Each structure stands twice: as C-alpha cells, then as structure tokens.
Amino acid sequence: MLGCMTVALTIAFVPGVSPAKWARVWRDRFPSVELRLRPVGQGDLVAALSAEDDVVDMVFARMPVPEDLRAIPLWTETAVVATPKDSDLAKATEVTAAHLETVHMIDAGPVPADVDAALDLVEANVGVVVLPQSLFRKASRKDLVARPLADAEGTRVALVWRDEDSSELTEEFIGVVRGRTANSSRSQPDQPGGSERSADEPSRLARGAARSGSAGSSRSGEAPGGKAKAKSPGGGKSGAGKKSNTGKGPTPGRGKMRGKPSRGSKGNR
C-alpha cells in the first residue's frame, strides 16, 4: 500500500552547481513526493547513476558526458583565471591568451582534477589556474581573485540521466528545471511533450510510482538488448543524444520522452 511506501526522487549535483531553487519549487508543487539531494564528484557521474544502492535518478553535471546518457544542456559557466590579488593579472579586467603566455599555467582547465590543490598552488604564487567561475566562488579563497578568460567557451552544465530511468517523476523534474509552470501543458513547444498536468496531482504521481514499484521494476530490469543510446528529451531521430552531449541544447517540442517508467518508483523503498 502507498501509505506504507516512500515515494522519492533523488537528484545528485557536482561541485559548484546548486539545485536549491529547483528543490524549493518541487517541494512546493509536489509535497507528497520526497526530493533527496546528493552531492557527487564529476568523475562519479556514471557510478552514481548505475549504483544499485543509494540510487540516484538524475544528476546536474558538467559536459561532456557519456553518449549512452540522456542530457539537457542548461547553461554555460564563465571560465575564469584564478590569480593572487597582488599579481599583475589581477590588475586586468579580462585575461587574454597573451597574458597567459607571461605566467606559469598550473592547470588550463576547463575543470582542474583537484580544485583545492590547484588553488593552493596559486596561493603559493606558483602560477595560475583556469576553472569555472562557480567553482572559484565555492572555494572562497580570500587571497585570490578571478578574472574572466577572453574567448573561452566555458563549461556547460546539463541535467543528465539514464534512458531506462525515465519516468513521470523525472519528466516532472525536467519541467521544473526548464521553468514550466504548475498549470502549463507538457505539450507546449518549449517543453518535453505529453498531456496536461496540474499542480494538484502529487498523489497521482505517487500512485503511478507505487504501481511501477509493485510491478517489480528495479535497476536490474533493463530493456532487452541493453541500454538505448542517448536521446534528446524530445525523442525523434537516432543520434539526437549525441548532439545534446556536444553542449548544444535539445530541439524543443519533439514529442514525448520515450524512457521506460521502470524506475519511476526508485524511491519506493
């Protein structure tokens, strides 16, 4: 019975990315569906999504991501150069390639493997580091400053999940992240396709998740033939997922997400 079950959605996020604003919307809109947040390292993306225990439904991660994952690129982070406050680079409003030729580059980015260790070296005046502005702010190094790196592409943040993990709950979370209002239709052009839903339907979501769980769905129940290749949320032609994983946004309004609801009730535990 549903009353004896816990319906939940677990969202992980990499350092420098905060899901707080979407968590507030979710909890207001679907109070009966628990939203669990879990920090993970960028290198832990695949392990987090494929783990049998401590299950993760979706992850906010930096691209590129493996091609067999589905991804919606969301925004691009500014690339900055971290340098000591008293350095010559700190006097510039923007750092160029010419500036970088005059200093030692500890890590050229886009994301250092060990951000804290790299910034420790910058504080020791060993050289400079390129990294996303959000990671520099998170580090909060009072003796360092960050200057935008001219002509840098920056890093792309995306919402990532496995095809077999698609469910009503993941579709609803995509809608929250993309700004769909409580009374809007999934079939609107800028959202993944589907039927109209109202904000007063959390119990329906919970019932759907519970039915999925009672049918014996689990992480181990993959579709015949293994994983599907990555696809844009709109579905459509094959290869769309590869395009989304290059950092380009998905083509809006391409129809309903095709993922199977086998793990919509992953939280039913």
Side-chain angles (χ1 to χ4, degrees), residues 59-78:
V59 181
F60 286 102
R62 292 182 177 87
M63 300 186 79
V65 298
E67 292 184 353
D68 61 344
L69 298 179
R70 301 180 70 177
I72 299 178
L74 299 173
W75 72 88
T76 300
E77 300 174 300
T78 300

Side-chain angles (χ1 to χ4, degrees), residues 25 28-30 172 174-186 188 190-191 195-200:
V25 174
D28 179 65
R29 195 172 296 178
F30 306 112
E172 292 292 358
I174 289 169
V176 168
V177 170
R178 301 187 71 179
R180 187 170 66 229
T181 63
N183 296 318
S184 65
S185 168
R186 281 203 194 135
Q188 291 182 2
D190 61 341
Q191 306 296 344
S195 58
E196 290 192 5
R197 303 185 188 276
S198 122
D200 301 323

